Amino acid sequence: MIIDGCRADLFEELNFDNSFDHYERVRSNASATPEWLQHTFNEHGDIVYISSNPMVSRHQPDAFHEMVEVWRDNLDPETSVVPPEAITEAALKAREEYPNKRLIVHYLQPHYPFIGYPDLNYTNMTYDDLGLDAKNHQHEDIASTWDALREGLVEKDETLEAYAENLKVVMEDVNSLLNQLDERVVVTSDHGNMYGGRSWPVPIRVFGHPRNLRLGELVTVPWGVDEGPRREIKNDSVSAESNATDETVSERLQGLGYLE
């Protein structure tokens, strides 16, 4: 299972590491989802990918035996959120339909937007919308709470509280799914997040999860193992294909704070 954009230290701070048979920190091969997809997968006829993140449809549309694009029909248009229960339901259905395949269950949370914090939703915002003069700001756009934090528009404590709550919300569904699966399961993340820590060797402050940065906060992720029997896996042809248009993917990605 993938919980999107989860730092290992936050995972441990909330004591989720103690609920697994084995836990350790691992190093991700990327600091953002597109990189992670490109560096992790090629062609996998033994995998069914249950996706809440449109990045999978954009960057690896034909890498899997099957892809379940949960984000297409289960998005809350007001919050740009795919609720975790929709992913759990799709995963249980896929396990029944594909008993001899590996499942990758990609939850959107704790990635922004934050459930239950509408005041921190900066999707598709502009400086004009906020009554601000763009000339007084270093960056051109605001696409997420992390951008708003960078510009001093939100408080850091509230942002980190919302980030932590998003992790708590998704872990409720993760644990529910774990309890319904009789097999070995790994829970990890594609990348972490930064809230103003400095990069290296150029010491600029970094917010969110920019690509191509191998900073500890961005690539140190949790790795929790729930032991169980291993299924007999069958490797068939790669037949997955995204049903989403580029326009649809772009629109949904903007709702997650990605500017293209």
Side-chain angles (χ1 to χ4, degrees), residues 51-62 66-73 240-253:
S51 173
S52 64
N53 192 325
M55 282 293 185
V56 186
S57 302
R58 167 150 294 177
H59 294 281
Q60 290 289 17
D62 53 2
E66 191 59 71
M67 182 161 57
V68 183
E69 296 174 306
V70 181
W71 61 267
R72 294 186 67 222
D73 300 316
E241 192 172 310
S242 174
N243 294 317
T245 65
D246 285 345
E247 182 179 350
T248 301
V249 173
S250 295
E251 180 182 327
R252 297 297 172 83
L253 289 176

Side-chain angles (χ1 to χ4, degrees), residues 5-166:
C6 183
R7 290 172 55 131
D9 58 356
L10 177 62
F11 195 84
E12 296 159 11
E13 180 184 326
L14 298 178
N15 295 316
F16 291 122
D17 54 316
N18 292 325
S19 61
F20 292 91
D21 297 316
H22 171 75
Y23 175 82
E24 62 180 311
R25 291 184 174 192
V26 298
R27 183 180 177 86
S28 174
N29 57 15
S31 60
T33 306
E35 280 182 279
W36 179 77
L37 289 165
Q38 292 163 356
H39 294 168
T40 305
F41 304 107
N42 40 66
E43 291 187 1
H44 303 273
D46 61 339
I47 289 177
V48 173
Y49 203 115
I50 295 94
S51 173
S52 64
N53 192 325
M55 282 293 185
V56 186
S57 302
R58 167 150 294 177
H59 294 281
Q60 290 289 17
D62 53 2
F64 310 105
H65 177 70
E66 191 59 71
M67 182 161 57
V68 183
E69 296 174 306
V70 181
W71 61 267
R72 294 186 67 222
D73 300 316
N74 293 274
L75 188 90
D76 182 337
E78 293 187 4
T79 63
S80 299
V81 168
V82 176
E85 53 267 26
I87 298 297
T88 301
E89 182 179 345
L92 291 171
K93 183 178 179 180
R95 169 48 68 227
E96 188 173 323
E97 187 173 353
Y98 303 98
N100 298 120
K101 300 297 180 188
R102 306 181 199 279
L103 299 185
I104 296 182
V105 184
H106 192 149
Y107 287 94
L108 181 60
Q109 294 75 29
H111 192 288
Y112 166 90
F114 303 131
I115 296 173
Y117 289 80
D119 290 344
L120 294 181
N121 190 338
Y122 281 78
T123 298
N124 297 325
M125 286 283 191
T126 67
Y127 288 110
D128 284 342
D129 294 333
L130 299 168
L132 301 172
D133 187 348
K135 295 179 181 179
N136 297 328
H137 296 266
Q138 180 180 359
H139 300 270
E140 293 183 2
D141 299 293
I142 296 177
S144 71
T145 303
W146 304 118
D147 295 338
L149 180 62
R150 179 195 68 207
E151 300 298 329
L153 302 175
V154 297
E155 295 295 329
K156 183 175 181 178
D157 287 349
E158 184 181 12
T159 302
L160 298 190
E161 174 188 305
Y163 182 39
E165 286 298 321
N166 239 27

